[in-house]
Amino acid sequence: MSANSGDFTFIELFAGIGGFRVGLEALGGKCVWGCEINQHARKCYAENFLEEQGGPTSNEAGGRKSSIPCKIDGKVRRDKRKEKLAKNIRKVEVSSIPPHDILTAGFPCQPFSRLGAQPGLSDTRNRGHLFLEIVRVLKAKRPPMFLLENVPVRQPHRHEIRGV
């Protein structure tokens, strides 16, 4: 990775609609892999970035056209690539993730937010455990950098994570 040229690769865990991707591609980065489980976010991401998956054409409630706003910067992106978007990070073999310079992740905030009960890794809905999936990928792939996004009211958590 060259700091001057802007040429670097990145992956997106919990990609959402591709916010990290838009920002990092504007800096010269290339997304080499992504993962998102939310069906609505996946449809929007696909419409903007993925040639093979195409855009949202129907919802699961009966074939109506999607009303999900999928435009980024007021337009649907036209530089779509032939790539896949993994769905469930818990089912991903880390060996299938390509090498990358930066790992990005916008992981679920509910278990860590100051606004809630803050169960963290003890979350009964297992959302807190998704943070451990980031750790799993980081430990296996060892990218030089990682960038995590959460909510502004997130505070340092009382659960200690060792070995990263």
Side-chain angles (χ1 to χ4, degrees), residues 67-84:
S67 61
I68 303 166
C70 291
K71 295 181 179 180
I72 296 176
D73 295 333
K75 61 184 176 188
V76 174
R77 296 169 55 100
R78 298 292 176 215
D79 58 341
K80 296 179 184 181
R81 299 191 181 123
K82 290 184 179 183
E83 60 187 68
K84 297 280 185 181

Side-chain angles (χ1 to χ4, degrees), residues 9-58:
T9 59
F10 64 94
I11 66 170
E12 290 187 298
L13 305 182
F14 318 107
I17 64 169
F20 275 127
R21 185 172 183 152
V22 170
L24 293 175
E25 284 182 346
L27 297 174
K30 179 183 179 195
C31 184
V32 295
W33 190 85
C35 185
E36 174 56 52
I37 199 167
N38 180 279
Q39 69 179 0
H40 301 297
R42 287 175 62 81
K43 287 178 182 180
C44 186
Y45 191 97
E47 182 174 316
N48 282 286
F49 303 109
L50 307 180
E51 182 178 296
E52 286 183 0
Q53 293 184 7
T57 56
S58 64

